Structures are given as structure tokens and as C-alpha cells.
Amino acid sequence: MEAVKTNYPNLASESFGHGKKHYFIDVKKAKNDTHILLITSSEQYVEGQFQRNTVQLWEEDLAFFVEALSMILGQLAYGELSPPEVRMELVKDPKGMKAIAEYDRPREKLHALGAGTLSNAELLAILLCTGSSELSVLDLCQRIMKSVKDSPARLLNRTADDFCRFPGIGVAKAATLLAALELGRRTFAAAQ
């Protein structure tokens, strides 16, 4: 049993085997004086018949091959060969915030870019957290802000009953809004 034959002279050879599989590593010199590394695997199927596969690496590619092989062997040695983590969640029928790209969601946007970059509706959406079965929290808050012509100051004139008229806002959410508005009013008054 021998490695794949070529017309190039062999400069060095190594071989090893296990059972019916044998491997050959040959370094050959090409006509243009560059070196070729041949890695051949040979497996015996029937007496005297072999299946051979050869990988041929030219001298200029050898450094890249060795680096890649070292990285893979290092991962194998340290047990780091695991399937990649699934990064995307498949949602069959996206509704609410799942229908909005993560970087466009109010909370994520606030953390990434700061509160000053959010629209009035996005700020309200963070306070309310959830919408209704018909509306996402962002759609709900856009409706609320449209009802006051996008003026946060006009929200101060709204009552709990006014807020409860919007689908998805009950007594608890109305109280949250009124409390936030009162905190804002007190902060503004104290700054005067």
C-alpha cells in the first residue's frame, strides 16, 4: 500500500494506519522549485481494492492550513466544539414588540441611545409595558399621543377615566401614567 503517485520527487514521507485506514503525508518538490504537501487517506474495501482521497497543499498555502488546523485542534482539545448558539427566535405570527426589530424597541433603544432619543410615544410605552390584544403597546401609546397632538404637557389635563377609554388601559395603567405625570410636574415645579 502506498501513497498517490506523482511525477514529483519525494523529499519526506510519513505514514500511519489504523485497521483498514491508512494515511500518508508526503512533501514533494514541484518543477518550479516550490513544495507540495500531499495528505492521502486510503481505505481498503475489498481485498486489493482501495478508496483514496488526497488533499494537495502548495507551499504558499501551508501557513494558512497550519494556522487553521491549530485553531481547530485547540478547540477540540479544550472542548469548545459545540454547535453554534441559535441567535434568532422563530416567531410564527409576530405581534406586539416581537414584530419590531430588537434595536427599534423602546427599552433597547433607551439603553443604547439614551432617553432623549425616544419619541413621546416610546417613552409612554416603557411606562405601560403592554398593550392590548388588538394593539401593541407602541401602537397604543401612539394613539394616546395623537389624542393630545403629541404634546406631553397636554397629558397633565387627562384624568384616569380619559386614559381608561383607550383599549388596553385599565385602572392600574392609568394610575401609572398619572403618577409619572405628577412626578414630572413636581420636578418641573421644583426647578422653577
Side-chain angles (χ1 to χ4, degrees), residues 19-180:
K20 294 184 175 188
K21 291 186 178 185
H22 294 275
Y23 299 90
F24 303 91
I25 302 171
D26 298 303
V27 177
K28 298 184 176 273
K29 189 168 191 171
K31 289 181 182 174
N32 63 0
D33 284 338
T34 61
H35 296 93
I36 306 167
L37 176 70
L38 295 174
I39 303 171
T40 304
S41 69
S42 179
E43 185 171 359
Q44 184 175 2
Y45 286 107
V46 181
E47 197 63 39
Q49 294 184 355
F50 298 92
Q51 163 93 33
R52 291 191 176 104
N53 296 300
T54 301
V55 174
Q56 177 177 314
L57 293 165
W58 291 91
E59 185 174 359
E60 62 263 18
D61 299 325
L62 194 55
F64 299 114
F65 174 76
V66 170
E67 183 178 351
L69 184 61
S70 299
M71 291 171 66
I72 292 292
L73 291 176
Q75 289 175 359
L76 180 63
Y78 293 106
E80 296 173 358
L81 290 177
S82 57
E85 208 176 287
V86 176
R87 294 191 177 129
M88 292 180 66
E89 179 183 335
L90 181 62
V91 180
K92 291 182 182 177
D93 187 18
K95 290 182 180 175
M97 283 297 157
K98 290 186 178 186
I100 299 172
E102 194 170 319
Y103 58 84
D104 268 343
R105 296 176 189 168
R107 282 189 201 133
E108 287 79 357
K109 201 170 173 182
L110 183 137
H111 287 295
L113 305 172
T117 63
L118 273 64
S119 70
N120 294 326
E122 289 171 323
L123 291 169
L124 276 180
I126 290 173
L127 288 172
L128 294 182
C129 299
T130 59
S132 68
S133 58
E134 298 89 32
L135 295 171
S136 73
V137 67
L138 198 51
D139 292 333
L140 172 61
C141 293
Q142 286 169 342
R143 283 189 181 181
I144 293 170
M145 290 312 300
K146 187 176 179 183
S147 75
V148 293
K149 298 182 180 167
D150 202 36
S151 172
R154 289 183 176 194
L155 289 173
L156 290 169
N157 300 327
R158 299 293 174 149
T159 65
D161 288 338
D162 293 333
F163 287 123
C164 288
R165 288 190 182 104
F166 290 94
I169 295 190
V171 177
K173 286 184 183 178
T176 300
L177 287 175
L178 290 172

